Amino acid sequence: MIADDTPLADIAIIPASLHKPLERLELRTVNDLLTHYPRRHEDRTQFDRFPSGETEMPVCVRGVITKTALKRFGGNRKMFDATFEEIEAGALSSPLILRWYNMHYIQKLIAVGQTVIVYGRTRLRGRNLCIEHPEFEIADEGETAGENLNMNRIVPIYPATEGITQRILRRVVFDVLSDTKRMETPLPEELIDSSRLEALKAIHFPNSLEQLETARRHLVLTEFFGIQLIVAQRRARTLSASGAPHCGPGKLLDGFLANLPFPPTGAQKRAIAEIRRDLASDHPMNRLLQGDVGSGKTLVALSAMLLAVESGCQAALMAPTQILAEQHYLNFCRLLEPLGISVALRTGARKEESGGSIMGSSRVSRDESGAPALFVEYPNDLPEAISYSRRSLPHFERPWAKYAISFSTRNRRKLTPEARDIVLDCLIHWKDKRYELYAACVMPDHVHLLIEPFVKDRNDKGDPVFYSIAEILHTIKSLTAHQINKLERMTGSVWQEESFDRLVRSERDLQEKYHYIVQNPWESDVVTSEEGYQWVWFPGCEKAVARAATSSASRRLQQASGLPSPARSHAVSAQILIGTHALLYDSAQNDLPGLGLVVIDEQHKFGVLQRAKLISRNPAPDVLVMTATPIPRTLTLTAYGDLDVSILDELPPGRGRIRTELRENGKLRDPDKFKEYLASGRQAYIVCPVIDESETKEVKAAAVEFEKWSKFLAPLKCELLHGRIAPDEKDAIMRRFRDGKTNVLVATTVIEVGIDVPNATVMIIENAEKFGLAQLHQLRGRIGRGSNTSYCILLAGTADETALEKLRVLARTSDGFEIAEADLELRGPGDILGTAQSGFPPLKIGNILRDGDLMRLAREAASRIVSADPKLSAPENQRFRLFSVESSHKLLSHVS
Ligand code: ADP
Ligand code: MG
């Protein structure tokens, strides 16, 4: 008997000649074949009439070929035209031309006299009404015995069937379906009472369109139910994980709230109460806090952290980028220091602690032995999908990537001691600006260094873009070459163009590279073990000290003590810890035994698996995930379905309206009026997609726009802000803007986060089409913060209709959820669901946007079943358990 998992190769009725082609379509088992769902159906009981003009939607027509012709066009290229006429007697329609370009094999398939079924859109080409590259099927071709599957019925049209015709596939599916007598239906009766087998028969060969719809509903529910069983079980596991209550009595929070200049909104109060209940329970919290830009999520996070801290544990906040982490850090310090709460910052770039012991940003935190801070072990259970080649940057999947780099002088040119000084100075100069430096050694004719590149900017999707190794080295080489040549009164290249970089793969790898670099002069016998060498640098070895050391023995001793000891690292004693997402993988988490609450800000880059890892700690911390990008409701049921959800659906009071206008011609309506408006005291942002024109010629660059606007708006003051500006400078620029000393900030997307200037009431976005919808929405959230009406002007740099359509969404609505749904619709759900990140296989039949109500039904059924029987061990639940196992296998095979 045929079962779901019977290999197609074992089924006698399938001719052996089809095994290969089926395999190519990845159809291996009966289930694969039967869930190879039709892409669409054609109702061949009644065809459309021949249209008389261009059609918006494809038509399905039947006719006869009356003439064919192979023609040349544009030199050597060929097109094949077939004249196609309606059969129906007395039809007054004019013929259509079926046209194929450069597909010579078509002429072998189509001949005069054939009856053909054609599907496609008609287009006027000259005086002819054409269908170009139509889908077609020859109606009277080689009909086999048995039921006619291709005519006079609703016929399935399958997705790409390379190497196998639609007809043969129909026959195989039909035969397998007819031979299948029984099939388990994995849906509970309460959800649907039809059988799976009937549904499969009807999805392939429906008797009516109603039957087709019912079948589809059954199969979509099945697909969603499989997902929801996994979600429900994930949830059940979280609930049964051992956690601990992390909730203080609330005095601290009450005091904090009482001293705020404003009362929390109703939505904030609700969210805080929900979180408080979770914190107090001994199950680990796993909650999503959703709220539009400006809805005040930070306050909720802070309240949660205060409750946790009051109970005596530590709380951590993880931000997706360094800039955002710093922003939170400054904010938290300001708010919490008066309460006597200690806050620490830990990102790749800076490690600071508040409360008197602020460490300079140029220093790396060290363990007791003075070793460089914490190496991050790459989590070994991340999906393979996140693999990348050693050289491929940006490496934002792994922002904490470290590299060991070496480069040599050209022709082994010897660097004088002065030249070596120049090089080492330069390496140290860029430290904390473009990279974190872990070790460096300038040898007489080559250089070694161990670095971790920093975030340079964000791309138009909002992902961080890192300084590339090439970029970093280029700067170092050209700057030093210039200085060295000047010093030595020489010209020509100092450095070999080529350099070698290796990605550091593990803690051990790091230790080895580190030792290798700091001991290189001695190991390579450039100096004897009795001598010192001044051009070695590592954290804690201040250059001055290294150079002053004359006694070689003491010098080496000092070095020996500076070597990192593998297992130990720096324990953080602060009550609140703020860092980037890398913090999670940090060895730091091992020195945070008191970690009770983790807040993850902007979870988009943070998948289910990472969250699972966090919760798998024992005891599990409470987890609060925050997102400012509203997640469409359908997705909160799936990709985030294992989370409880709190929603901030209320903006703090006193916010002015934002009017958004799309300028399709890419120009301001009246620049002079804009100037006047600014002169009256308001401020504006002008946002550009890139920093330099050299990056891409087609889009407006901040640096260039800055020049233009400065001139035009003078004497009003403009400033330029982008990710390449050093942090201190950036702070100063922001401060001047906040204090009203600057009228206009010309910027890249760095202003997407963290700036809160109520007097800034205009935002002009250049080449708005270059940004994602969600990102534009975020950007726009920077205005409308005061009580006055604000204006967001989107300048389009394209006439592309799809792009303009996208921008019109923003002009139409400011509802984050609506925008998120539109975004999802435009990008296609495949982007979000069905990635390794979301932890679900791609959907075969369901549409996460349109079938939201079915998803809800499936979810309710699955959670009812799982909450009554979390392990699905009851006899009557066996079919669900099997189905869930099967579904997660699909998931696993997808992820790997
Ligand atoms: P987001 O949800 O985008 O992270 P923030 O937490 O940054 O929003 O809050 C946006 C602004 O609103 C901040 O300036 C914050 O101080 C202010 N804010 C937050 N809650 C309230 C409130 N209840 N009443 C008035 N202003 C508030
Ligand atoms: Mg925020």
Side-chain angles (χ1 to χ4, degrees), residues 408-439:
S408 312
T409 56
R410 162 104 24 131
N411 299 328
R412 318 222 68 180
R413 176 171 162 179
K414 282 270 182 294
L415 298 172
T416 59
E418 292 75 22
R420 282 178 241 173
D421 279 344
I422 289 173
V423 179
L424 192 56
D425 280 340
C426 180
L427 295 178
I428 294 170
H429 173 77
W430 291 109
K431 173 177 137 49
D432 292 323
K433 299 195 177 74
R434 296 198 165 181
Y435 48 75
E436 182 57 276
L437 186 61
Y438 291 89

CSV table of all heavy atoms in Angstrom, one decimal, residues 408-439:
chain,number,residue,atom,x,y,z
A,408,SER,N,53.8,43.4,4.5
A,408,SER,CA,55.3,43.5,4.5
A,408,SER,C,55.6,44.8,3.7
A,408,SER,O,54.8,45.3,3.0
A,408,SER,CB,55.9,42.4,3.7
A,408,SER,OG,55.4,41.2,4.2
A,409,THR,N,56.9,45.2,3.9
A,409,THR,CA,57.4,46.3,3.1
A,409,THR,C,57.7,45.8,1.7
A,409,THR,O,57.9,44.6,1.5
A,409,THR,CB,58.7,46.9,3.7
A,409,THR,OG1,59.6,45.8,3.8
A,409,THR,CG2,58.4,47.5,5.1
A,410,ARG,N,57.7,46.7,0.8
A,410,ARG,CA,58.0,46.4,-0.6
A,410,ARG,C,59.5,46.1,-0.7
A,410,ARG,O,60.3,46.8,-0.1
A,410,ARG,CB,57.6,47.5,-1.5
A,410,ARG,CG,58.3,47.5,-2.9
A,410,ARG,CD,57.4,47.1,-4.0
A,410,ARG,NE,55.9,47.2,-3.9
A,410,ARG,CZ,55.2,47.8,-4.8
A,410,ARG,NH1,55.7,48.4,-5.8
A,410,ARG,NH2,53.9,47.8,-4.7
A,411,ASN,N,59.9,45.0,-1.4
A,411,ASN,CA,61.3,44.6,-1.6
A,411,ASN,C,62.1,44.5,-0.3
A,411,ASN,O,63.2,44.9,-0.2
A,411,ASN,CB,62.0,45.6,-2.5
A,411,ASN,CG,61.4,45.7,-3.8
A,411,ASN,OD1,60.8,44.7,-4.3
A,411,ASN,ND2,61.3,46.9,-4.5
A,412,ARG,N,61.4,44.1,0.7
A,412,ARG,CA,62.0,43.9,2.1
A,412,ARG,C,62.7,45.2,2.5
A,412,ARG,O,63.7,45.1,3.2
A,412,ARG,CB,63.0,42.8,2.1
A,412,ARG,CG,62.5,41.5,1.3
A,412,ARG,CD,62.8,40.3,2.0
A,412,ARG,NE,62.0,40.2,3.3
A,412,ARG,CZ,62.1,39.2,4.1
A,412,ARG,NH1,63.0,38.2,3.9
A,412,ARG,NH2,61.4,39.2,5.2
A,413,ARG,N,62.2,46.3,2.1
A,413,ARG,CA,62.8,47.6,2.6
A,413,ARG,C,62.8,47.6,4.1
A,413,ARG,O,61.8,47.3,4.8
A,413,ARG,CB,61.9,48.7,2.0
A,413,ARG,CG,62.3,50.1,2.5
A,413,ARG,CD,61.5,51.1,1.7
A,413,ARG,NE,61.5,52.4,2.3
A,413,ARG,CZ,60.9,53.5,1.8
A,413,ARG,NH1,60.3,53.4,0.6
A,413,ARG,NH2,61.0,54.7,2.4
A,414,LYS,N,63.9,48.0,4.7
A,414,LYS,CA,64.0,48.0,6.2
A,414,LYS,C,63.4,49.3,6.7
A,414,LYS,O,63.7,50.4,6.2
A,414,LYS,CB,65.5,47.9,6.6
A,414,LYS,CG,66.1,46.6,6.5
A,414,LYS,CD,65.9,45.8,7.8
A,414,LYS,CE,66.5,44.4,7.7
A,414,LYS,NZ,65.8,43.5,6.8
A,415,LEU,N,62.6,49.2,7.8
A,415,LEU,CA,62.1,50.4,8.4
A,415,LEU,C,63.0,50.8,9.5
A,415,LEU,O,63.4,50.0,10.4
A,415,LEU,CB,60.7,50.0,9.0
A,415,LEU,CG,59.6,49.6,8.1
A,415,LEU,CD1,58.4,49.2,8.8
A,415,LEU,CD2,59.3,50.8,7.1
A,416,THR,N,63.4,52.1,9.5
A,416,THR,CA,64.2,52.6,10.5
A,416,THR,C,63.4,52.6,11.8
A,416,THR,O,62.2,52.6,11.8
A,416,THR,CB,64.7,54.0,10.2
A,416,THR,OG1,63.5,54.8,10.0
A,416,THR,CG2,65.5,54.1,8.9
A,417,PRO,N,64.1,52.8,13.0
A,417,PRO,CA,63.3,52.9,14.2
A,417,PRO,C,62.3,54.0,14.1
A,417,PRO,O,61.2,53.9,14.6
A,417,PRO,CB,64.4,53.2,15.2
A,417,PRO,CG,65.6,52.6,14.7
A,417,PRO,CD,65.5,52.7,13.2
A,418,GLU,N,62.7,55.1,13.5
A,418,GLU,CA,61.7,56.3,13.4
A,418,GLU,C,60.5,55.9,12.6
A,418,GLU,O,59.4,56.2,12.9
A,418,GLU,CB,62.4,57.5,12.8
A,418,GLU,CG,63.4,58.2,13.6
A,418,GLU,CD,64.7,57.4,13.7
A,418,GLU,OE1,65.0,56.6,12.7
A,418,GLU,OE2,65.5,57.5,14.6
A,419,ALA,N,60.8,55.1,11.5
A,419,ALA,CA,59.7,54.7,10.6
A,419,ALA,C,58.8,53.7,11.4
A,419,ALA,O,57.6,53.8,11.3
A,419,ALA,CB,60.3,54.0,9.4
A,420,ARG,N,59.4,52.9,12.2
A,420,ARG,CA,58.6,52.0,13.0
A,420,ARG,C,57.7,52.7,14.0
A,420,ARG,O,56.6,52.3,14.2
A,420,ARG,CB,59.5,51.0,13.7
A,420,ARG,CG,60.0,49.9,12.8
A,420,ARG,CD,60.9,48.9,13.5
A,420,ARG,NE,62.2,48.9,12.9
A,420,ARG,CZ,63.3,48.3,13.4
A,420,ARG,NH1,63.2,47.7,14.5
A,420,ARG,NH2,64.5,48.4,12.7
A,421,ASP,N,58.3,53.8,14.5
A,421,ASP,CA,57.4,54.6,15.4
A,421,ASP,C,56.2,55.1,14.7
A,421,ASP,O,55.1,55.1,15.2
A,421,ASP,CB,58.2,55.9,15.9
A,421,ASP,CG,59.2,55.5,17.1
A,421,ASP,OD1,59.0,54.4,17.7
A,421,ASP,OD2,60.1,56.3,17.4
A,422,ILE,N,56.5,55.6,13.5
A,422,ILE,CA,55.4,56.1,12.7
A,422,ILE,C,54.3,55.1,12.5
A,422,ILE,O,53.1,55.4,12.7
A,422,ILE,CB,55.9,56.6,11.3
A,422,ILE,CG1,56.7,57.9,11.5
A,422,ILE,CG2,54.7,56.9,10.4
A,422,ILE,CD1,57.4,58.4,10.3
A,423,VAL,N,54.7,53.9,12.2
A,423,VAL,CA,53.7,52.8,11.9
A,423,VAL,C,52.9,52.5,13.2
A,423,VAL,O,51.7,52.4,13.2
A,423,VAL,CB,54.4,51.6,11.4
A,423,VAL,CG1,53.3,50.5,11.1
A,423,VAL,CG2,55.1,51.9,10.1
A,424,LEU,N,53.6,52.3,14.3
A,424,LEU,CA,53.0,51.9,15.5
A,424,LEU,C,52.0,53.1,16.0
A,424,LEU,O,50.9,52.8,16.4
A,424,LEU,CB,54.0,51.6,16.6
A,424,LEU,CG,53.4,50.9,17.9
A,424,LEU,CD1,52.7,49.7,17.5
A,424,LEU,CD2,54.5,50.6,18.9
A,425,ASP,N,52.5,54.3,15.9
A,425,ASP,CA,51.6,55.4,16.2
A,425,ASP,C,50.3,55.4,15.4
A,425,ASP,O,49.3,55.6,15.9
A,425,ASP,CB,52.3,56.8,16.0
A,425,ASP,CG,53.3,57.1,17.1
A,425,ASP,OD1,53.1,56.5,18.2
A,425,ASP,OD2,54.2,57.9,16.9
A,426,CYS,N,50.5,55.1,14.1
A,426,CYS,CA,49.4,55.1,13.3
A,426,CYS,C,48.4,54.0,13.7
A,426,CYS,O,47.2,54.2,13.7
A,426,CYS,CB,49.8,54.9,11.8
A,426,CYS,SG,48.5,54.9,10.7
A,427,LEU,N,48.9,52.8,13.9
A,427,LEU,CA,48.1,51.7,14.4
A,427,LEU,C,47.3,52.1,15.6
A,427,LEU,O,46.1,51.8,15.7
A,427,LEU,CB,48.9,50.4,14.6
A,427,LEU,CG,49.6,49.8,13.4
A,427,LEU,CD1,50.4,48.6,13.9
A,427,LEU,CD2,48.6,49.5,12.3
A,428,ILE,N,48.0,52.7,16.5
A,428,ILE,CA,47.3,53.1,17.8
A,428,ILE,C,46.3,54.3,17.5
A,428,ILE,O,45.3,54.3,18.2
A,428,ILE,CB,48.4,53.4,18.9
A,428,ILE,CG1,49.1,52.1,19.2
A,428,ILE,CG2,47.7,54.0,20.1
A,428,ILE,CD1,50.3,52.3,20.0
A,429,HIS,N,46.7,55.1,16.6
A,429,HIS,CA,45.8,56.2,16.3
A,429,HIS,C,44.4,55.8,15.9
A,429,HIS,O,43.4,56.4,16.3
A,429,HIS,CB,46.4,57.1,15.2
A,429,HIS,CG,45.5,58.2,14.7
A,429,HIS,ND1,45.3,59.3,15.4
A,429,HIS,CD2,44.7,58.2,13.6
A,429,HIS,CE1,44.5,60.1,14.7
A,429,HIS,NE2,44.1,59.5,13.6
A,430,TRP,N,44.3,54.8,15.0
A,430,TRP,CA,43.0,54.3,14.5
A,430,TRP,C,42.3,53.4,15.5
A,430,TRP,O,41.1,53.1,15.3
A,430,TRP,CB,43.2,53.7,13.2
A,430,TRP,CG,43.6,54.6,12.1
A,430,TRP,CD1,44.8,54.7,11.5
A,430,TRP,CD2,42.8,55.7,11.6
A,430,TRP,NE1,44.8,55.8,10.6
A,430,TRP,CE2,43.6,56.4,10.6
A,430,TRP,CE3,41.5,56.1,11.8
A,430,TRP,CZ2,43.1,57.5,9.9
A,430,TRP,CZ3,41.0,57.2,11.1
A,430,TRP,CH2,41.8,57.9,10.2
A,431,LYS,N,43.0,53.0,16.5
A,431,LYS,CA,42.3,52.1,17.5
A,431,LYS,C,41.2,53.0,18.1
A,431,LYS,O,41.3,54.2,18.3
A,431,LYS,CB,43.4,51.8,18.6
A,431,LYS,CG,42.9,51.1,19.8
A,431,LYS,CD,44.0,50.7,20.7
A,431,LYS,CE,43.6,51.0,22.1
A,431,LYS,NZ,42.3,50.4,22.5
A,432,ASP,N,40.1,52.3,18.4
A,432,ASP,CA,38.9,52.9,19.0
A,432,ASP,C,38.2,53.8,18.0
A,432,ASP,O,37.2,54.4,18.3
A,432,ASP,CB,39.2,53.8,20.2
A,432,ASP,CG,39.6,52.9,21.4
A,432,ASP,OD1,39.1,51.8,21.5
A,432,ASP,OD2,40.5,53.3,22.1
A,433,LYS,N,38.8,54.0,16.8
A,433,LYS,CA,38.1,54.8,15.8
A,433,LYS,C,37.6,53.9,14.7
A,433,LYS,O,36.4,53.9,14.4
A,433,LYS,CB,39.0,55.9,15.2
A,433,LYS,CG,39.6,56.9,16.2
A,433,LYS,CD,40.2,58.1,15.6
A,433,LYS,CE,40.6,59.1,16.6
A,433,LYS,NZ,41.9,58.7,17.3
A,434,ARG,N,38.5,53.0,14.3
A,434,ARG,CA,38.0,52.1,13.2
A,434,ARG,C,38.0,50.7,13.7
A,434,ARG,O,37.4,49.8,13.0
A,434,ARG,CB,38.9,52.2,12.0
A,434,ARG,CG,38.8,53.6,11.4
A,434,ARG,CD,39.3,53.6,10.0
A,434,ARG,NE,38.8,54.9,9.4
A,434,ARG,CZ,39.0,55.2,8.1
A,434,ARG,NH1,39.7,54.4,7.4
A,434,ARG,NH2,38.6,56.3,7.6
A,435,TYR,N,38.7,50.4,14.7
A,435,TYR,CA,38.8,49.0,15.2
A,435,TYR,C,39.2,48.9,16.6
A,435,TYR,O,39.7,49.9,17.2
A,435,TYR,CB,39.8,48.2,14.3
A,435,TYR,CG,41.1,48.9,14.1
A,435,TYR,CD1,42.1,48.9,15.2
A,435,TYR,CD2,41.5,49.5,12.9
A,435,TYR,CE1,43.3,49.6,15.0
A,435,TYR,CE2,42.7,50.2,12.7
A,435,TYR,CZ,43.6,50.2,13.8
A,435,TYR,OH,44.8,50.8,13.6
A,436,GLU,N,39.0,47.8,17.2
A,436,GLU,CA,39.6,47.5,18.5
A,436,GLU,C,40.9,46.8,18.2
A,436,GLU,O,41.0,46.0,17.3
A,436,GLU,CB,38.7,46.6,19.3
A,436,GLU,CG,39.2,46.3,20.7
A,436,GLU,CD,39.5,47.6,21.5
A,436,GLU,OE1,40.6,48.2,21.3
A,436,GLU,OE2,38.6,48.0,22.3
A,437,LEU,N,42.0,47.2,18.9
A,437,LEU,CA,43.3,46.6,18.7
A,437,LEU,C,43.6,45.7,19.8
A,437,LEU,O,43.5,46.1,21.0
A,437,LEU,CB,44.3,47.7,18.5
A,437,LEU,CG,45.8,47.4,18.1
A,437,LEU,CD1,45.8,46.7,16.8
A,437,LEU,CD2,46.7,48.6,18.2
A,438,TYR,N,44.0,44.5,19.5
A,438,TYR,CA,44.3,43.5,20.5
A,438,TYR,C,45.8,43.3,20.7
A,438,TYR,O,46.3,43.0,21.8
A,438,TYR,CB,43.6,42.2,20.3
A,438,TYR,CG,42.1,42.3,20.5
A,438,TYR,CD1,41.3,42.7,19.5
A,438,TYR,CD2,41.6,42.2,21.8
A,438,TYR,CE1,40.0,42.8,19.6
A,438,TYR,CE2,40.2,42.3,22.0
A,438,TYR,CZ,39.4,42.7,20.9
A,438,TYR,OH,38.1,42.8,21.1
A,439,ALA,N,46.5,43.4,19.6
A,439,ALA,CA,48.0,43.3,19.6
A,439,ALA,C,48.5,43.8,18.3
A,439,ALA,O,47.9,43.7,17.3
A,439,ALA,CB,48.4,41.8,19.8
